[in-house]
């Protein structure tokens, strides 16, 4: 079974600085998706960035970028020029690319880490 | 394009009652998944529907059930509520569900906060 681990329960960053959130995962599959979701106090889960495992190039979205190390099964999120609005819980998630009917399993659905609470200091 | 909508947003029930939560996916999305979020267990997958059929099910008791309608809207039902069912229930929709084809990104609704007293 796949697992996702976020080893930093809490992180803090100064406004305008850069912060990196860590995520590691375990899988025997070769084809999958990785995501970072942001959950602010409103509890709305917002997609930050997505990476497809078959792509070697790291995904970027404006101030957000990832460092995807497939062999090491590592998927960190870098937030540049941090803003107050970046304060939230950040969840790393894994999703298999092959969708199989599997009652009792979780293939094809998101497997989340426990989350990292990011605080941004003004 | 409107996002995923969930109703109601807040709900208070007592033990033993049942509850039904509703989710309308993004227009054109045919796959709907449900997740439970609690402080202790984090985010856990409940079930996934596509074309009115349950495709995947997480490790939850039979008190948790769901269905999907022909317009892709989905409902989940929890019978005989227990205190431990208090949680945020999140619905997510995605575009692709074809066996062997790459899965789409899941987009989440605002959630339904259920409190069981």
């Amino acid at each position: 079974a796949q697992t996702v681990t976020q080893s930093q329960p809490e992180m803090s960053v100064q406004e305008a600085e850069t912060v990196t959130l860590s995520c590691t995962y375990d899988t025997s599959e070769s084809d999958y998706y990785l995501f970072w979701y942001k959950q602010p106090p409103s509890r709305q889960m917002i997609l930050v960035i997505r990476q497809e495992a078959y792509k070697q190039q790291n995904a970027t979205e404006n101030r957000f970028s990832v460092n995807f190390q497939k062999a090491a099964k590592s998927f960190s999120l870098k937030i540049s020029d941090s803003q107050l609005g970046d304060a939230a819980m950040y969840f790393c998630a894994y999703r298999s690319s092959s969708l199989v009917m599997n009652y009792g399993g979780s293939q094809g659905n998101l497997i989340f880490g426990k989350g990292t609470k990011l605080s941004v200091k003004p | 394009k409107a996002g995923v909508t969930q109703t109601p947003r807040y709900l208070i029930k007592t033990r033993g009652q049942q509850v039904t939560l509703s989710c309308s996916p993004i227009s054109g999305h045919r796959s709907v998944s449900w997740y439970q979020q609690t402080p202790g267990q984090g985010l856990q997958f409940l079930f996934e529907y596509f074309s009115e059929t349950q495709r995947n099910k997480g490790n939850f008791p039979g008190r948790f059930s769901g269905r999907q309608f022909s317009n892709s809207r989905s409902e989940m039902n929890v019978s005989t509520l227990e205190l431990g069912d208090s949680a945020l229930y999140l619905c997510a929709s995605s575009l692709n569900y074809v066996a062997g084809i790459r899965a789409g990104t899941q987009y989440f609704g605002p959630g339904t906060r259920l409190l069981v007293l």
Side-chain angles (χ1 to χ4, degrees):
Chain A
Q2 298 88 4
T3 59
V4 176
T5 303
Q6 293 178 250
S7 58
Q8 307 152 315
E10 294 188 26
M11 291 281 286
S12 180
V13 64
Q14 205 71 32
E15 195 175 5
E17 297 294 310
T18 296
V19 65
T20 298
L21 308 184
S22 300
C23 173
T24 59
Y25 59 94
D26 189 27
T27 183
S28 58
E29 298 179 325
S30 60
D31 200 10
Y32 47 86
Y33 294 103
L34 294 165
F35 303 88
W36 279 97
Y37 284 91
K38 166 186 175 182
Q39 189 177 43
S42 67
R43 309 299 297 277
Q44 172 82 54
M45 195 74 77
I46 301 165
L47 176 69
V48 175
I49 200 165
R50 147 183 163 154
Q51 175 79 43
E52 290 153 305
Y54 73 91
K55 291 185 177 178
Q56 293 186 340
Q57 186 173 7
N58 290 324
T60 61
E61 285 288 344
N62 301 315
R63 298 183 294 107
F64 299 88
S65 62
V66 298
N67 184 4
F68 173 49
Q69 301 289 329
K70 190 173 183 180
K73 297 179 182 175
S74 170
F75 182 61
S76 61
L77 173 70
K78 185 172 83 171
I79 306 174
S80 303
D81 185 25
S82 296
Q83 300 175 0
L84 295 177
D86 294 334
M89 281 291 289
Y90 285 81
F91 291 96
C92 178
Y94 170 102
R95 189 180 191 193
S96 171
S97 289
S98 65
L99 301 179
V100 177
M101 289 182 65
N102 184 18
Y103 292 97
S106 60
Q107 289 188 9
N109 295 286
L110 290 167
I111 299 169
F112 288 92
K114 292 292 186 183
T116 296
K117 183 177 181 180
L118 177 66
S119 302
V120 181
K121 298 178 181 178
Chain B
K1 190 181 275 191
V4 179
T5 58
Q6 291 186 246
T7 56
R9 295 292 309 278
Y10 305 91
L11 211 48
I12 300 175
K13 293 285 187 178
T14 56
R15 280 180 297 173
Q17 287 187 310
Q18 75 166 16
V19 66
T20 299
L21 312 181
S22 180
C23 171
S24 293
I26 293 171
S27 178
H29 287 195
R30 298 174 63 192
S31 176
V32 173
S33 296
W34 290 88
Y35 296 85
Q36 181 197 64
Q37 185 177 24
T38 60
Q41 300 299 317
L43 284 148
Q44 294 185 289
F45 167 69
L46 280 157
F47 25 65
E48 178 184 20
Y49 286 87
F50 178 78
S51 291
E52 303 176 62
T53 302
Q54 188 179 88
R55 300 291 175 144
N56 274 308
K57 187 177 188 300
N59 189 25
F60 278 80
R63 300 185 297 107
F64 291 82
S65 63
R67 60 177 175 169
Q68 187 180 35
F69 302 94
S70 59
N71 61 358
S72 296
R73 189 176 70 85
S74 177
E75 289 181 347
M76 67 162 282
N77 184 77
V78 187
S79 62
T80 319
L81 284 165
E82 300 177 0
L83 296 179
D85 298 333
S86 295
L88 178 68
Y89 290 88
L90 292 164
C91 167
S93 75
S94 60
L95 188 57
N96 300 343
Y97 192 102
V98 178
I101 301 299
R102 299 188 182 283
T105 300
Q106 293 193 350
Y107 297 91
F108 285 82
T112 295
R113 296 194 201 191
L114 172 64
L115 177 62
V116 182
L117 301 176

